[in-house]
Amino acid sequence: MKELQTIDETLKYLQFDNWEQSAPGLARSRELLGLLGNPQEKLKFVHIAGTNGKGSTAAMLASVLQSAGYRTGLYTSPHLLRFHERMRVCGREIDDASLIALTNTVRAAAERMSEMPTGFEIMTAIAFLYFVQEQCDIVALEVGLGGRMDSTNVIPAPEVCVVTNIGLEHTAILGDTLEKIATEKCGIIKHGAHAVLFGQTEGVENVARETCAREDVPLTITAQSELTRISSSLDGQVFRYRGHGPFHLRLLGEYQLLNALTVVDVSFALRKRGWDKLTDAAIDQGLSTAQWPGRLELLRRSPDFIVDGAHNPQCVDALMASLSSLYGDKKLIFLTGVLRDKDWQQMLRRALPLAKAFVVITAPSARALDENELAGWLNAQGVPAIPAADTDDGVRRALAMAGKDDAICSWGSLYFTGEVRHALSAQ
């Protein structure tokens, strides 16, 4: 087998996605990692599952841990602009040379297996090897899909298991009720860890309590009643929580503020486990410098141009609530494209009350709804909508439509958000 020599060859190899043809389970990951010397056993983790907010939570937590002086790994998916974003150490993306070399190592091991690992299983193995190579003190590890059967769940008991907000997503795989999905997500909770749950429905909280009781794991549930909001603007948010703070959060939006409560509770749990450099000052510094592109991210002023990866009704609800908080009664210009097999009408109906107009594209996917059909449906609802040829054209049309006092918000998926960020930078 000829080794991969260039970053282009490496990225092409990593693009394959065969998970839908592969039986769910951890056997392939365990076999692959065993062939690689079980790098996951040489690391400490905070393991993060959930439907919404797990990437933001992971990024904020990594920033806090780094601010406290720990050498911190961060593993997230998907990426916005380039693959390297998925694996970071102290905020720096994996370099080309390491990605090529580690991919060759994992590829050679995968070729020795009777069943080919999935693309995500291979990526996860690369990440574990990279974090060991970089001598990370701790890794913020985001689950790919679900929890119990996700390839990241081969790790030993982490320092803290985290379950963020849960919604109805991937129901054919994870279950058709919040409680069934919560059971899959809570499958990351292991004896020897501490668990932190984003406070939500009673049914989900009961699933977490039952899992923690069975595994003899202490559980913290975030408490909005312990939150004191001090200020919120396009410059960021300031709050106190459980009598601590004030904490300064760079990220915008009510949902990011609530995700920050999870990060604070995780930090407190880690502090109890001996990570004593996680002082309140370190938490504040980490939250005030945390970046998570594509999530209610303000890219430009006059007109304001915000991008967000909202891609399901629950995410759109959270986005609209945040926009209402930031802009009051002002109506916005929305730039979006949707997938035909998503609940796109429900998503768009949630945005209609805040919409001045829409610019719509055919999303970059074979499953996308055609822009003309989407524009026709929106116009029939009484909101002006114009189709655009592609993402670049959509950004141009939205900017041309907006006055300097207007606000534009792009949403629809993380991949679309990445394209919009790239197109806007070229305008």
Side-chain angles (χ1 to χ4, degrees):
M1 180 180 63
K2 182 182 177 182
E3 286 200 339
L4 304 165
Q5 300 292 326
T6 68
I7 191 61
D8 288 341
E9 289 176 345
T10 302
L11 293 176
K12 184 177 180 180
Y13 169 75
L14 291 171
Q15 281 176 354
F16 76 91
D17 191 356
N18 57 336
W19 69 270
E20 290 184 332
Q21 291 78 46
S22 302
L26 302 180
R28 287 183 304 273
S29 286
R30 289 189 175 122
E31 181 181 357
L32 177 60
L33 291 165
L35 291 168
L36 296 167
N38 288 312
Q40 77 281 7
E41 296 180 0
K42 302 169 186 174
L43 296 163
K44 301 287 188 183
F45 295 96
V46 174
H47 201 189
I48 303 166
T51 304
N52 300 314
K54 60 183 185 292
S56 300
T57 300
M60 281 189 266
L61 179 62
S63 182
V64 167
L65 288 164
Q66 183 182 338
S67 293
Y70 296 110
R71 189 160 177 80
T72 305
L74 174 63
Y75 181 57
T76 59
S77 60
H79 57 272
L80 279 178
L81 297 176
R82 67 187 207 130
F83 181 89
H84 302 59
E85 299 167 19
R86 296 170 179 245
M87 305 165 197
R88 306 179 193 224
V89 174
C90 291
R92 295 187 301 275
E93 297 171 2
I94 187 172
D95 58 283
D96 285 356
S98 292
L99 184 55
I100 294 167
L102 294 174
T103 301
N104 277 318
T105 299
V106 175
R107 181 180 176 221
E111 292 292 332
R112 295 162 56 192
M113 294 172 56
S114 57
E115 182 182 355
M116 185 67 179
T118 68
F120 189 73
E121 288 164 353
I122 285 175
M123 294 173 201
T124 301
I126 292 168
F128 289 158
L129 287 174
Y130 180 58
F131 296 138
V132 170
Q133 171 187 300
E134 294 298 308
Q135 300 180 309
C136 289
D137 297 316
I138 192 166
V139 175
L141 181 71
E142 181 191 1
V143 165
L145 173 63
R148 183 176 63 91
M149 303 295 278
D150 186 76
S151 62
T152 62
N153 204 29
V154 296
I155 64 172
E159 295 295 292
V160 182
C161 310
V162 185
V163 179
T164 66
N165 198 21
I166 289 175
L168 292 172
E169 189 173 50
H170 302 296
T171 53
I173 301 169
L174 303 178
D176 57 1
T177 68
L178 291 178
E179 290 76 17
K180 289 178 181 177
I181 294 174
T183 299
E184 291 297 314
K185 307 284 188 185
C186 288
I188 69 168
I189 296 173
K190 297 180 176 73
H191 178 73
H194 188 113
V196 173
L197 175 73
F198 180 96
Q200 48 199 293
T201 67
E202 182 179 359
V204 169
E205 291 184 1
N206 285 338
V207 170
R209 289 189 181 96
E210 291 164 5
T211 305
C212 288
R214 185 171 62 251
E215 295 292 329
D216 191 23
V217 167
L219 172 65
T220 301
I221 300 177
T222 62
Q224 289 190 42
S225 61
E226 299 282 340
L227 166 67
T228 302
R229 297 169 175 83
I230 297 175
S231 66
S232 178
S233 71
L234 287 169
D235 296 318
Q237 308 181 70
V238 183
F239 68 99
R240 297 180 66 87
Y241 181 53
R242 299 193 190 275
H244 294 258
F247 299 116
H248 299 76
L249 178 64
R250 178 175 182 173
L251 304 181
L252 305 179
E254 174 76 4
Y255 66 92
Q256 295 293 31
L257 176 61
L258 299 182
N259 288 332
L261 305 188
T262 306
V263 174
V264 175
D265 276 336
V266 172
S267 300
F268 291 164
L270 285 167
R271 191 189 295 175
K272 290 179 182 177
R273 294 177 65 93
W275 300 82
D276 50 16
K277 292 192 287 186
L278 283 167
T279 61
D280 283 9
I283 296 170
D284 182 44
Q285 175 68 16
L287 291 176
S288 68
T289 56
Q291 300 182 55
W292 194 227
R295 285 75 169 182
L296 206 68
E297 181 185 15
L298 179 64
L299 296 177
R300 183 178 292 191
R301 302 297 301 266
S302 300
D304 291 354
F305 201 120
I306 289 175
V307 292
D308 190 87
H311 61 283
N312 61 38
Q314 189 179 21
C315 289
V316 176
D317 278 341
L319 173 61
M320 296 305 141
S322 295
L323 292 173
S324 292
S325 176
L326 289 170
Y327 291 104
D329 294 333
K330 178 187 285 189
K331 293 188 179 292
L332 287 83
I333 298 166
F334 290 124
L335 169 61
T336 192
V338 297
L339 302 183
R340 185 180 294 276
D341 57 359
K342 290 275 189 178
D343 195 358
W344 61 270
Q345 293 187 6
Q346 285 300 319
M347 291 163 60
L348 289 163
R349 284 194 178 100
R350 285 159 160 78
L352 290 175
L354 272 70
K356 178 179 182 179
F358 279 87
V359 177
V360 296
I361 69 159
T362 300
S365 168
R367 297 149 48 207
L369 186 71
D370 177 78
E371 76 268 16
N372 292 300
E373 184 177 347
L374 180 53
W377 186 88
L378 286 164
N379 280 311
Q381 311 309 307
V383 178
I386 59 172
D390 53 28
T391 304
D392 287 352
D393 186 41
V395 169
R396 284 193 297 270
R397 287 175 179 268
L399 288 170
M401 185 184 295
K404 67 180 181 64
D405 294 327
D406 276 316
I408 302 164
C409 181
S410 162
W411 55 272
S413 75
L414 285 178
Y415 288 117
F416 176 49
T417 296
E419 288 195 348
V420 171
R421 290 177 90 251
H422 180 72
L424 187 62
S425 67
Q427 293 290 326

